[in-house]
Amino acid sequence: MGLLAIGSPLDWAEAKQHADHVREHGIEQFLHIWHRLKDRTGDVLLWGDEIEYMVISYDDEGKNARLSLRQTEILEDLQHDASERKKTSPGREACIPVFHPEYGRYMLESTPGAPYGANLEALLSVEGNMKFRRKLAQSRMHSNEVPLTLTSFPRMGAPGVFTDPYYPPGGGVARSLFLPDEITNPHVRFPTLTANIRRRRGAKVAMNMPLYIDTNTPRPFIDPNIHDRNIWPEDANARDGAALPDHIYMDAMGFGMGCCCLQITFQACSVNEARRMYDAFVPVGPIMLALTAASPIFRGLLADVDCRWNVIAGSVDDRTEEERGLAPLKHDRFVIPKSRYDSVDCYIYDCDSNRPEYNDNDMPIDPAIKERLMQDGVDELLATHFAHLFIRDPIVIFEETMNQDDSKSSDHFENIQSTNWQTVRFKPPPPDSPIGWRVEFRSMEVQLTDYENAAFAVFIVLLTRAIMNLGLNFYIPISKVDENMHRAHQRDAVHSQKFYFRKNLFSPAPGHGCSPLPSAGHALNGLPAHINGRANGDDTQSSTCSSHTTSPRSHSPTCEKAEFGPVEDEYDEFTINEIINGDGKDFPGLLGVVRKYLDSLDVEKSTREQLEKSLELVRRRADGSLVTTATWMRNFVHSHPAYKHDSVITEEINYDLIRAVDEIERGIRKEPTLLPACYEGSSQAKEGDLFKACCGDVMDIANGAKVEKGLGE
Ligand code: ADP
Ligand code: MG
Ligand code: MG
Ligand code: MG
């Protein structure tokens, strides 16, 4: 979450007057980038992760675990440390992690000091790199504080004390019944975002997650904390129906944007490769959401869902009643089916394999924007994608940056682009930067340990390589992907649900659309040269990459029309175990294709063994021999002596749960249902050793791989 420009943000009444200006110039800015960089090829397949933490503050005497609101001080200390370390370790700047602010004033985000290259050794350093970051964060905290990678904080917004220092709920920005405004990062961008979303919507946001009904849960469950209170005029909403019975009602942006996640960003070697990667990630999004599910508790209540996604979607849902289809269109232009934080609405790769039938969502677009883009030669699919993102208004506009040189800035473009928070993001290169076309995979929930976070990151990286190298085809209709998003939320979705997935991952055959990258040109480290991000000279990389780009529809003579049958015959319903581990018959599963890809390389035995340690977690979470984080948390609650089977997570249960998570992470508490026996924990690792290990395998920043700052989450 970067770009924390200091300036004067406009309040909503003023900002909306300038919405067209921002949209119009945003599109011009994109067109400048497009014209300059649409034909750029040869970028290295760099990648990097983002991990978000909650700073926990223990009150051991009171047996309470709270959110420490010390983000600002901790970040300042970390930044000071980083500049000191840079002075004492010249040439190793790229090994020094970067910490970023986030929405919650108790949150931190970390990224590696520079992106990883595409070689297999880089994959082996990911866990150490993540552990190093956690150690650094921990080193700047008080003795009663700890950085934990929890997706949602179980008692945020529950009655009692859940922040350190304590603030009573309320405040003029979010107007929440449950959260104090002090929970929000005080940088002016965040309160403005919060207030302007509320103002644009014309009401407070309202999220209702189904409550887990236990044997002693009162029925119907009507939350007394809602109905007794009336601080702001908007609070009438809750009594008038915004808060549903038998649900956990949440009324502020902090409930969603205050969740943590694990994201992975990839640079592709060309715009077409990025579009192809984007499309392949779309159906994988809900599968990984279900597999990483880690948020079964909200506002001190056990939920009947395991994931955060719908909470965040609701928490920034700025659509008016007209846009939500609750009132006839009078002042607004579109009925919009989804929040600006939601799953992807359309595929974008211009290729025969991407059949028009797959883009079957009801998806409003701004026709004038589409036309403007197509006028300048942007193809219909990409023009539609941006014409859809640009139906949204900019929420935060800084007075000082209203007028920009569209050939040099992308601020207006990013304003809209980065407040469309989808499961996958297609990221054009920033102007004047060595960074290429990128794709961000955004659906995963953050896991309790860096072993798990690294395992999921490594799996997704290897999956990308398999997709690109084996020419895999994951297309199913987007409406089915949305249905999968819904199913992914369900309690214990890994066991309780089936998901739509494509039956034949290798169809249509190469030559009919998306041909694979030829696996010729093996280079160092056993990887084909075109995916080797390091150790090669630039020339090798670019020439190899550009000569092996795939065949988009409009550019390739080899792109014959494939014979397609009915779309409905292409997909089926599978369990997560089948999707990941295969069905034991024809369907290889995602791990199957990853292994097929690894088998095609000349990988050293010890490297392969280490990679298999990561893949083991993915395999076992999917086959049920290890439980998901959410299931482990539920089991912990159910077996806690103080749990009354009334769906309520008390301060005491929360404290013990957080302590247990902390001990698991350190490796001093073994949880064999959650983690494989090989998990060692972070307590043994020394900061100095981790630094050395990171430095052994991070790209030198001097190679031009500077970390870009964008608008985040
Ligand atoms: P966001 O805008 O999503 O918050 P961040 O800047 O926080 O993005 O981080 C995105 C990730 O992308 C980081 O891990 C970073 O190392 C990585 N990254 C930066 N530059 C590149 C690049 N050129 N290619 C691939 N990954 C990159
Ligand atoms: Mg970020
Ligand atoms: Mg991100
Ligand atoms: Mg973030």
Side-chain angles (χ1 to χ4, degrees), residues 1-2 50 52 100-102 109 111 263 427 440 710-713:
M1 179 145 249
E50 292 165 78
E52 293 171 343
H100 315 254
E102 260 299 339
E109 180 187 291
T111 54
Q263 297 172 336
K427 292 173 156 180
E440 184 181 21
L711 280 171
E713 197 294 318

Side-chain angles (χ1 to χ4, degrees), residues 449-505:
T449 69
D450 291 323
Y451 159 70
E452 297 160 277
N453 289 317
F456 282 112
V458 164
F459 171 65
I460 295 295
V461 175
L462 289 174
L463 186 62
T464 351
R465 306 305 183 234
I467 292 165
M468 305 313 264
N469 251 262
L470 306 174
L472 301 180
N473 177 351
F474 289 175
Y475 285 111
I476 56 172
I478 279 270
S479 60
K480 293 287 179 271
V481 178
D482 280 355
E483 173 57 27
N484 283 350
M485 278 304 278
H486 171 73
R487 295 180 183 184
H489 280 76
Q490 304 311 306
R491 177 161 46 88
D492 200 19
V494 170
H495 295 104
S496 68
Q497 304 292 312
K498 284 193 163 193
F499 293 82
Y500 292 103
F501 215 77
R502 192 178 175 86
K503 288 191 277 193
N504 185 352
L505 308 181

Side-chain angles (χ1 to χ4, degrees), residues 1-2 46-50 100 109 111-112 114-115 263 265-267 425 427 435-436 438 440 442 706-713:
M1 179 145 249
L46 301 174
W47 70 277
D49 67 86
E50 292 165 78
H100 315 254
E109 180 187 291
T111 54
Q263 297 172 336
T265 296
F266 297 87
Q267 178 169 277
R425 184 178 280 163
K427 292 173 156 180
I435 295 172
R438 288 152 305 151
E440 184 181 21
R442 302 165 45 84
K706 221 172 70 192
V707 176
E708 177 232 354
K709 276 207 169 255
L711 280 171
E713 197 294 318

